[in-house]
Amino acid sequence: MAPLRIYFDRLLDAVAPKVPRRDLTDAERLALVRRYGDFSLAYSTAVQQKLSYFSDGDGYIAFGTKMSRHFALGDPVADPADRPAYIRRFVEAACGPWFVQIGADTAKVLAGLGYKVNRLGMDTRLLLPEHDFSGKRNETVRYSERWLAKKGFVLAESTGDMPVEEIMQLSADWRKERIIKRWEMGFLNRRFSPLPEADMRRFVLHSPEGRLLAILDFDPLFRNGKVFGYTTSFKRKQVDATPHAEIGLTKFAVDRFREEGVSAVTLGLSPLLDIEPSGFAESDFWRSTFQRAYQSRWVNRSRFNLQGQAAFKRRFHGVEEPTYIAFRKGTFVEMLGLLRLTKAI
């Protein structure tokens, strides 16, 4: 069955609008991200495999193709002043592609081009140093770190000398407990690597006996060649780890960033959270569908724990920033292509 699906995918991809692609090297993409990668997905667009790039060498739009449609990932990695022009050129070249997990500025440009723009979910941002886990509302977060320290658990930043086999075993054990076990989601996420990419940061939790219990990876956020923030990229945790593990490790990492003068940490997308009117022309059908999906017991139990992911991020009381999805038609077949591209189905 899989070979037949791959065969038809290739046929459909072959009839997709012909978009000029540029084979940017890893070094070229990372150089552009270090200049302009100021949004949560920027670093991932540079290092994720199987993406294509619409580029003139001074910036790029990363995109994937599925079922004869093109899907742009995030905002353009380019000088903010040049992003509207990149968007307009890509829209024309790709014949009305979708844009997925974009910010408000990109959404505004697309709305001016006749796109419908819906909310996709929320990205949680911790603004540092103001956000410091003080006060009653952060009491449970502080308790998790104190509990771990009291019980002899060790929180630390990885120095890169951990055995690869141990990391891969943790990841494999984690995957066995996922709702979907056979594959990892893609496009909005990338494949986990036992060794962090350049400029990434990794934090780890060990049990009192020295067993690796959890990993938390962060991608960098850049502006003008300097890191100004980090965004959560990967989490791995043993199924029998204490419930305090992920909370305490996140607080530990954020505190380290604050001490270094980092100005922002984002916790990543909470898909389909708070799907309200976007403020742009939008699809009422997809807004109501997203709302029903978030509330659906079947979706949360058998496809993706949307509510659990949102509840975890809200423990940290950050600023929730809407992210958007934009399309010209928004047909069911096009949405099916996006779901297959992200490997949600």
Side-chain angles (χ1 to χ4, degrees):
M1 187 66 178
L4 184 62
R5 184 178 67 246
I6 292 172
Y7 172 75
F8 280 111
D9 280 345
R10 288 173 177 170
L11 287 180
L12 290 171
D13 290 349
V15 300
K18 305 301 181 185
V19 179
R21 291 169 166 85
R22 184 161 181 151
D23 293 328
L24 297 170
T25 65
D26 293 348
E28 288 173 330
R29 296 195 302 272
L30 286 172
L32 290 169
V33 164
R34 288 181 178 124
R35 293 177 66 188
Y36 308 122
D38 59 358
F39 58 94
S40 292
L41 281 179
Y43 186 84
S44 189
T45 67
V47 300
Q48 184 177 164
Q49 297 179 359
K50 299 182 179 180
L51 292 179
S52 299
Y53 297 92
F54 178 79
S55 173
D56 59 4
D58 294 325
Y60 67 76
I61 290 178
F63 67 97
T65 304
K66 183 65 69 174
M67 295 179 64
S68 78
R69 302 300 303 174
H70 300 302
F71 300 88
L73 179 61
D75 303 313
V77 176
D79 188 312
D82 296 335
R83 289 175 184 176
Y86 270 93
I87 294 167
R88 287 191 289 268
R89 293 199 302 270
F90 183 63
V91 166
E92 181 177 359
C95 300
W98 284 44
F99 286 75
V100 186
Q101 200 175 330
I102 56 176
D105 290 343
T106 298
K108 184 177 180 180
V109 173
L110 290 167
L113 296 176
Y115 269 67
K116 295 179 180 179
V117 180
N118 283 59
R119 280 194 181 188
L120 182 62
M122 290 287 182
D123 192 355
T124 302
R125 183 177 294 262
L126 309 182
L127 299 174
L128 309 179
E130 292 83 0
H131 189 287
D132 61 2
F133 299 116
S134 62
K136 185 174 180 59
R137 67 177 186 172
N138 288 306
E139 185 175 353
T140 58
V141 176
R142 296 195 303 273
Y143 177 80
S144 287
E145 187 181 38
R146 290 198 308 270
W147 187 93
L148 291 170
K150 182 179 179 180
K151 298 294 183 180
F153 291 81
V154 179
L155 302 101
E157 181 167 5
S158 174
T159 58
D161 57 355
M162 296 177 58
V164 171
E165 296 78 9
E166 185 178 19
I167 296 170
M168 292 306 294
Q169 186 59 57
L170 171 61
S171 183
D173 293 343
W174 178 84
R175 283 236 38 87
K176 292 176 184 176
E177 300 302 321
R178 297 300 89 197
I179 293 175
I180 298 177
K181 303 176 177 61
R182 290 175 295 169
W183 62 82
E184 292 191 66
M185 295 186 70
F187 194 58
L188 295 178
N189 303 92
R190 65 183 188 275
R191 184 178 295 277
F192 174 77
S193 173
L195 299 176
E197 306 275 356
D199 301 311
M200 289 179 64
R201 303 279 292 274
R202 170 168 290 173
F203 294 83
V204 295
L205 175 69
H206 285 89
S207 72
E209 298 77 29
R211 179 189 178 208
L212 179 62
L213 292 179
I215 287 175
L216 182 58
D217 286 352
F218 290 87
D219 288 347
L221 300 172
F222 289 99
R223 190 176 289 129
N224 298 323
K226 296 182 179 179
V227 174
F228 75 90
Y230 289 92
T231 186
T232 304
S233 53
F234 294 107
K235 301 176 183 179
R236 294 293 187 267
K237 183 179 69 172
Q238 290 290 0
V239 65
D240 60 347
T242 168
H244 296 294
E246 191 173 348
I247 300 171
L249 190 56
T250 301
K251 179 185 181 299
F252 178 82
V254 172
D255 285 342
R256 298 294 83 71
F257 293 146
R258 186 188 303 104
E259 293 169 1
E260 296 169 5
V262 169
S263 62
V265 175
T266 73
L267 302 182
L269 178 67
S270 295
L272 308 190
L273 174 63
D274 282 357
I275 301 298
E276 302 296 337
S278 66
F280 304 100
E282 66 180 317
S283 165
D284 294 338
F285 170 77
W286 286 119
R287 185 176 72 235
S288 62
T289 299
F290 291 166
Q291 290 170 337
R292 290 196 300 271
Y294 183 81
Q295 297 296 333
S296 168
R297 290 186 178 182
W298 179 81
V299 169
N300 281 273
R301 289 179 179 178
S302 64
R303 306 310 299 177
F304 192 86
N305 188 4
L306 299 166
Q307 295 178 5
Q309 185 170 120
F312 173 81
K313 292 173 184 177
R314 280 185 160 170
R315 288 176 178 267
F316 298 93
H317 301 286
V319 177
E320 292 183 342
E321 302 174 339
T323 65
Y324 303 91
I325 185 169
F327 40 76
R328 280 260 170 84
K329 296 180 180 178
T331 67
F332 179 79
V333 172
E334 291 173 336
M335 180 61 78
L336 181 62
L338 175 59
L339 292 174
R340 289 200 55 217
L341 183 62
T342 61
K343 299 183 180 179
I345 58 174

